[in-house]
Amino acid sequence: MNYTLNQLQIFLKIVQTKSVTKASEELHLTQPAVSIQLKNFQDQFEIPLTEVIGRKIYITDFGLEIAEAAENIINQVHAINYKTLAYKGQLTGRLKLSVVSTAKYVMPYFLADFMNQNNGIELLMDVTNKNKVIESLENNEVDFALVSILPSNLNFEKLDLLQNKLYLVGNSQTNSKNNINLKELFKDLPLIFREKGSGTRQTMESFIENNNLSVLKKMELTSNEAVKQALLADLGYSIMPLIGIKNELQNNELQIIPVKGLPITTTWSLIWAKGKKHSPVSLSFLDYLKNEKDQIINEKFKWYEMY
């Protein structure tokens, strides 16, 4: 046997994602490179690790056992690295976060300096919709979650970070006027929705319901990036978080359509389960945010106040 740590990591990611394509994306490698490493790894075993039926890859029972062993080996390697850094007096360990999709425009700015100051910390951040974020918190899979709508069925503590503003947004070629009548506008407006389980969708639907509006639903997309591209292509309109369209507004590719009752404002809050026993890493990150969040907002989000 002459397999490498890199091959173990690639095989484990394939098992976790059940896809060579998804594994390559998460590992930031090309698909051919991942396929070659999988083949080289498989060549060292007489028993198949995977099988392909149709165009779908399946992991054999033997492959699952090898994946479990691979995960143990990789965890031991991480432990060695942590212990080495800890011996040198550096903060070490993993920081595990789950954030709603729009928060990918927010969270990195609150992480950057902390991560740069602590090279021994490994960051694991899952970007997904609100329902899955809350689920990961309920299952104690993460240290913190970042949401814009607070959960109603979970005991939690929180630290407010930044205001979230949602506006009606359309292509820059759209003609817009002030004092638009909501009922007339939304009666004919082709609206683009996020998927069910999204906090942005929940906020949009609450606004529509509270204002007793009749809406023609144009399409449903599963990410804010997809919604943004649809708006750029002039496929419709959407109520979107301001944070994700900075460049498009400044480049005059999208515009905010003035409507009474907008923007909707919520707050991005870092939350954690009440009674959570924080690791030294997560405690340190929490202290860092409490001390530095105002300065980060002033430096990184000053443009936000223009809208």
Side-chain angles (χ1 to χ4, degrees), residues 102 105 225 228 240-248 303:
T102 51
Y105 303 108
E225 280 300 312
K228 184 163 64 176
M240 289 197 71
L242 173 63
I243 196 71
I245 55 173
K246 174 186 176 183
N247 292 336
E248 289 74 19
W303 67 271

Side-chain angles (χ1 to χ4, degrees), residues 35-53:
S35 296
I36 289 170
Q37 289 302 319
L38 175 60
K39 181 182 183 302
N40 292 341
F41 188 56
Q42 172 64 79
D43 287 347
Q44 299 179 70
F45 301 92
E46 295 180 1
I47 305 172
L49 299 169
T50 64
E51 56 182 350
V52 177
I53 301 176

Side-chain angles (χ1 to χ4, degrees), residues 79-268:
I80 291 171
N81 293 337
Y82 294 153
K83 288 177 182 178
T84 302
L85 291 169
Y87 193 81
K88 293 161 64 176
Q90 296 184 32
L91 187 64
T92 64
R94 289 183 175 181
L95 180 61
K96 294 178 286 186
L97 306 174
S98 185
V99 306
V100 294
S101 58
T102 51
K104 66 176 175 283
Y105 303 108
V106 176
M107 199 69 239
Y109 295 101
F110 289 95
L111 281 164
D113 286 346
F114 178 77
M115 295 301 298
N116 289 334
Q117 293 166 14
N118 298 281
N119 294 327
I121 294 176
E122 179 186 2
L123 173 66
L124 301 175
M125 187 169 77
D126 182 34
V127 181
T128 183
N129 68 33
K130 173 179 158 278
N131 284 359
K132 292 181 180 178
V133 167
I134 299 305
E135 184 179 333
S136 66
L137 203 63
E138 289 175 331
N139 294 335
N140 199 31
E141 297 169 348
V142 296
D143 299 309
F144 302 106
L146 186 62
V147 297
S148 59
I149 299 177
L150 297 174
S152 58
N153 58 344
L154 181 70
N155 289 326
F156 62 89
E157 297 180 72
K158 71 183 178 77
L159 176 65
D160 293 338
L161 294 185
L162 184 70
Q163 190 178 67
N164 183 25
K165 305 176 186 177
L166 296 98
Y167 289 90
L168 181 65
V169 180
N171 188 284
S172 60
Q173 303 305 314
T174 302
N175 292 323
S176 62
K177 300 177 181 179
N178 291 322
N179 302 318
I180 294 175
N181 183 285
L182 271 178
K183 293 188 183 296
E184 289 300 318
L185 180 69
F186 281 87
K187 182 179 178 181
D188 301 316
L189 195 64
L191 271 184
I192 302 173
F193 285 69
R194 282 288 307 280
E195 80 285 2
K196 291 182 180 179
S198 158
T200 299
R201 179 181 178 127
Q202 183 179 339
T203 301
M204 182 189 292
E205 289 180 332
S206 294
F207 176 77
I208 291 168
E209 182 180 349
N210 291 339
N211 287 277
N212 194 27
L213 302 174
S214 176
V215 172
L216 171 65
K217 182 177 173 183
K218 183 69 174 179
M219 64 179 66
E220 179 179 300
L221 301 175
T222 58
S223 75
N224 274 288
E225 280 300 312
V227 172
K228 184 163 64 176
Q229 292 304 316
L231 297 183
L232 289 169
D234 203 18
L235 288 175
Y237 308 80
S238 189
I239 295 178
M240 289 197 71
L242 173 63
I243 196 71
I245 55 173
K246 174 186 176 183
N247 292 336
E248 289 74 19
L249 289 174
Q250 293 180 346
N251 294 334
N252 198 33
E253 296 171 319
L254 294 177
Q255 66 168 320
I256 292 172
I257 300 172
V259 172
K260 185 179 180 181
L262 294 177
I264 303 165
T265 57
T266 59
T267 301
W268 274 296

